[in-house]
Amino acid sequence: MRRAAPALLGLGVLALWEGLVRAYAVPDYVLPGPLAVARALAADWPLLSASLLVTLEVAVLALAAAVLVGGLLAVLFAQSRWLERALFPYAVVLQVTPIVAIAPLILIWVDNVTVALLICAWIVAFFPVLSNTVLGLRSADRNLADLFRLYGATRWQVLWLLRLPSALPFFLAGLRVAGGLALIGAVVAEFVAGAGGSGSGLAFRILEASFQLRIPRMFAALALISACGIALFALLGLLQHRLLRRWHESALARER
């Protein structure tokens, strides 16, 4: 029942939605029912699947860049308090600045639309990785750190054998948040870019469908975005469980 409850609740909501749409004879261009959305998804699958791959490519590349840049910066910050004080405020500025405000500038400055979308999605995604990893590196047991120093461990040995393992749960938690944010950043950047042609992502298909009053297609694209976000969150959750299940308390509790 624990696993079936969300599915049953979702099916109940969809059935209620379909029943209300049919009962009140709501036209599809106002609010399509789930069956109309499913038919649109099947009919427009070649177009929507190609756009889905474009959006996923941007989101996955942005997430990889967020992991690389955020992780490296977190290690540098953990090794140098001065560097953290100098650079961390600028990371906060990037995080709190709405992406819709700076995306037009990035699209003007960068000639390649795909690279511009990637930069926009990366800006949204990298801060959770950075902040959580810095917190994890700072959260290593001080008694163990004293023991390492007592045995003459070097700074890099302390980092590799103590701080990085201690930071792994924090990093993975930030990664799960960053995965969803990377997808959101890619979609928002596509909305701002309004890129057309074969390289168009799902956000453009939503805009296109709304302009043409093909509302079932628009809902189908929204459903694909939501499904991708759920799948990405689940995959990262599985990765977190696999890496922590044998030693970290959060994963051990799930095993019981």
Side-chain angles (χ1 to χ4, degrees), residues 25-75:
V26 180
D28 285 348
Y29 60 83
V30 176
L31 178 64
L35 293 179
V37 174
R39 287 193 295 268
L41 180 60
D44 298 326
W45 177 250
L47 181 66
L48 293 177
S49 61
S51 298
L52 172 64
L53 292 178
V54 173
T55 300
L56 277 180
E57 180 183 8
V58 174
V60 171
L61 289 176
L63 181 60
V67 170
L68 179 63
V69 178
L72 289 177
L73 281 178
V75 172

Side-chain angles (χ1 to χ4, degrees), residues 197-244:
S198 60
S200 302
L202 283 176
F204 175 77
R205 295 305 170 199
I206 292 174
L207 289 173
E208 179 186 55
S210 66
F211 294 151
Q212 298 173 357
L213 288 182
R214 296 184 176 181
I215 308 304
R217 178 194 286 184
M218 184 176 71
F219 272 79
L222 286 171
L224 282 178
I225 293 174
S226 299
C228 288
I230 294 171
L232 187 59
F233 187 82
L235 285 175
L236 294 176
L238 179 62
L239 174 65
Q240 182 182 27
H241 178 63
R242 291 290 184 182
L243 292 177
L244 303 180

Side-chain angles (χ1 to χ4, degrees), residues 63-175:
L63 181 60
V67 170
L68 179 63
V69 178
L72 289 177
L73 281 178
V75 172
L76 291 177
F77 289 174
Q79 297 300 305
S80 173
R81 285 282 190 178
W82 182 89
L83 194 63
E84 180 182 0
R85 294 192 186 100
L87 296 181
F88 199 82
Y90 296 101
V92 176
V93 169
L94 283 179
Q95 173 67 15
V96 300
T97 303
I99 191 61
V100 293
I102 59 177
L105 295 175
I106 296 174
L107 290 163
I108 291 172
W109 294 335
V110 180
D111 292 334
N112 191 304
V113 175
T114 302
V115 175
L117 297 179
L118 178 60
I119 294 173
C120 293
W122 171 81
I123 289 174
V124 177
F126 99 103
F127 188 79
V129 177
L130 174 65
S131 59
N132 281 37
T133 308
V134 169
L135 178 61
L137 291 170
R138 298 290 187 198
S139 299
D141 192 307
R142 293 190 176 185
N143 295 320
L144 289 177
D146 292 339
L147 182 63
F148 270 68
R149 282 192 291 268
L150 180 64
Y151 279 96
T154 65
R155 172 178 289 189
W156 292 108
Q157 286 176 325
V158 173
L159 174 66
W160 181 254
L161 298 175
L162 176 61
R163 294 192 181 278
L164 288 179
S166 299
L168 183 60
F170 295 85
F171 166 77
L172 292 172
L175 184 63

Side-chain angles (χ1 to χ4, degrees), residues 179-204:
L181 291 179
L183 183 61
I184 293 172
V187 171
V188 171
E190 287 174 3
F191 270 118
V192 176
S198 60
S200 302
L202 283 176
F204 175 77

